[in-house]
Amino acid sequence: VDPDVIAGSGGALDLVVLDDCLSRLEAEHPRTAAVVQERVFGGLMVDEIAAVHDVSRSTVEADWRLGRAWLSRELRGAGA
């Protein structure tokens, strides 16, 4: 995982904490969590994710911004 992808992670990531955060994100925002996972772990580009979910590019970009902000807040709170 590239820590720079998750804004505000502050460097080293604890993958267990990241997994817990992603699970909570998935419970609240399933598509957003999928977008984050596909970008970070799958290396997919915005247009590819849009095609997978049959949504617009702008929807994926909004989900990506939400997911990054949500995870950044959660990871700072977890001390990751």
Side-chain angles (χ1 to χ4, degrees), residues 10-27:
L13 284 175
D14 180 331
L15 293 181
V16 172
V17 172
L18 177 59
D19 185 58
D20 289 343
C21 290
L22 283 170
S23 293
R24 290 193 308 274
L25 177 60
E26 185 174 26

Side-chain angles (χ1 to χ4, degrees), residues 10-75:
L13 284 175
D14 180 331
L15 293 181
V16 172
V17 172
L18 177 59
D19 185 58
D20 289 343
C21 290
L22 283 170
S23 293
R24 290 193 308 274
L25 177 60
E26 185 174 26
E28 290 185 35
H29 306 281
R31 190 186 62 225
T32 298
V35 167
V36 169
Q37 291 170 349
E38 291 157 358
R39 288 276 296 175
V40 174
F41 299 107
L44 297 180
M45 302 305 292
V46 171
D47 291 331
E48 294 170 313
I49 296 169
V52 166
H53 294 280
D54 195 26
V55 298
S56 70
R57 177 182 178 85
S58 62
T59 296
V60 173
E61 289 168 344
D63 282 340
W64 177 235
R65 282 190 305 273
L66 171 63
R68 287 181 63 199
W70 195 96
L71 282 173
S72 176
R73 184 189 71 227
E74 292 296 309
L75 290 170

